[in-house]
Amino acid sequence: MWLVFMGPPGAGKGTQAQRLAGYLGVPHLSTGDMLRLACQQQTPLGTEAGRYMTSGKLVPDPLILQLIGQRLEQSDCARGALFDGFPRTLPQAEALDKYLADRGTPLDLVVELSVADDVVIQRLAGRGRNDDQPEVISERLHHYRQMTAPLVEYYRRRGLHRLIDGVGTTDEVFRRIAASIEHQRRSGGQQPIAP
Ligand code: AMP
């Protein structure tokens, strides 16, 4: 199964994405994690990407597409993947579509966790990190909304987008996500998998 996972900072996206990848039996591909690793290893791509990351900017599309393209060639991605933090721009979404269409395995679903701004601000403020100050949180949320709005529209038009209520315990939210995916699998004629 090929799935894009989206959600604002503080929505519990990382935890859910990891759990969901395990449930689906596909690798969890976080471009943020991959970039941080490339920075640590001081690869040419990592060094260049690092310059953007430290100033809070998006890494240019060609670098991201090179990184994700290399990762998708690995054998564990043969049956699908869960994308986390990617795509972040329309050209990235279009490139992913083209890549998957060429393989004959189109994207199955885009899951977006929905959490109201005041809930996100409350949750993040509780973590006490430097970038979790209220003004910075609002700024990050604003960027997130700006960035994702066109992507949500892009996927919604193709009937792939599912909005999941991200408020509740980890288990409650996970059950909602899994139910939405199983519904999609059934309507797609595929066999459900055991929870
Ligand atoms: P994340 O861990 O997903 O918040 O990503 C950390 C940083 O890596 C971001 O602030 C961006 O600078 C960069 N990054 C991660 N994924 C992407 C992407 N798909 N496109 C552009 N930049 C990205």
Side-chain angles (χ1 to χ4, degrees), residues 61-75:
D61 292 337
L63 290 184
I64 296 292
L65 295 175
Q66 188 187 332
L67 190 77
I68 205 92
Q70 283 166 358
R71 182 65 185 84
L72 285 172
E73 276 166 25
Q74 290 173 22
S75 57

Side-chain angles (χ1 to χ4, degrees), residues 31-32 35-36 52-53 57-59 64 85-88 92:
T31 40
L35 286 166
R36 278 183 287 274
Y52 296 91
M53 293 166 75
K57 293 203 179 88
L58 283 187
V59 174
I64 296 292
F86 171 87
R88 264 182 161 89
Q92 289 180 17

Side-chain angles (χ1 to χ4, degrees), residues 8-15 119-134 136-137 140:
K13 181 169 68 82
T15 314
V119 176
V120 168
I121 290 171
Q122 244 175 23
R123 281 195 197 167
L124 287 178
R127 300 202 305 204
R129 270 174 22 185
N130 273 352
D131 57 349
D132 288 343
Q133 302 306 312
V136 185
I137 296 169
R140 284 166 62 198

Side-chain angles (χ1 to χ4, degrees), residues 130-151:
N130 273 352
D131 57 349
D132 288 343
Q133 302 306 312
E135 320 79 66
V136 185
I137 296 169
S138 301
E139 185 72 12
R140 284 166 62 198
L141 273 174
H142 176 69
H143 280 305
Y144 172 78
R145 306 264 181 243
Q146 255 192 337
M147 171 196 93
T148 49
L151 290 179

Side-chain angles (χ1 to χ4, degrees), residues 24-105:
L24 296 172
V26 297
H28 169 213
L29 305 191
S30 153
T31 40
D33 287 350
M34 290 158 65
L35 286 166
R36 278 183 287 274
L37 186 68
C39 286
Q40 265 172 28
Q41 293 175 337
Q42 300 184 334
T43 65
L45 189 150
T47 310
E48 192 176 348
R51 287 201 282 271
Y52 296 91
M53 293 166 75
T54 46
S55 56
K57 293 203 179 88
L58 283 187
V59 174
D61 292 337
L63 290 184
I64 296 292
L65 295 175
Q66 188 187 332
L67 190 77
I68 205 92
Q70 283 166 358
R71 182 65 185 84
L72 285 172
E73 276 166 25
Q74 290 173 22
S75 57
D76 60 335
C77 297
R79 289 180 50 250
L82 184 153
F83 299 99
D84 176 3
F86 171 87
R88 264 182 161 89
T89 65
L90 269 183
Q92 289 180 17
E94 286 163 359
L96 177 64
D97 273 344
K98 181 169 177 343
Y99 178 87
L100 294 178
D102 288 350
R103 294 174 56 130
T105 55

